[in-house]
Amino acid sequence: MTGCIIRKSGAAQNLSRMKKAVVYTSADGATWMKVAETADMPTEWAVPFPSGTKGKWVKVEFENAAPEFAHLSHFVVFVK
């Protein structure tokens, strides 16, 4: 895997619940490795993965004071 793009939906761009985001990868679905994080999620976040990143799963988590839900327009993973 070489990276991913995470984009907020148009309605969610100004919502404070989508600020801190963390991206993880996993080869087995049980052990997760943090590959990137941001304290202020932009409208569109292009996340390059470290060279040699392998796995079958990618997840993004939003860590906020009042967890609710996230509105995403798209979440695209790039594989070489």
Side-chain angles (χ1 to χ4, degrees):
M1 294 187 284
T2 59
C4 69
I5 294 177
I6 305 161
R7 183 171 177 77
K8 294 179 184 180
S9 71
Q13 291 180 15
N14 296 320
L15 298 177
S16 62
R17 66 177 165 248
M18 293 177 67
K19 289 291 185 188
K20 184 175 181 185
V22 183
V23 178
Y24 300 89
T25 61
S26 176
D28 60 9
T31 305
W32 294 92
M33 301 293 295
K34 184 188 298 187
V35 293
E37 68 181 302
T38 181
D40 191 18
M41 173 75 182
T43 300
E44 184 170 283
W45 185 27
V47 181
F49 291 170
S51 181
T53 298
K54 296 183 190 271
K56 293 182 180 181
W57 292 273
V58 178
K59 74 176 176 177
V60 61
E61 291 182 349
F62 296 99
E63 300 174 0
N64 301 299
E68 295 176 21
F69 50 86
H71 294 277
L72 296 177
S73 168
H74 62 267
F75 180 68
V76 181
V77 177
F78 298 98
V79 179
K80 197 172 201 183

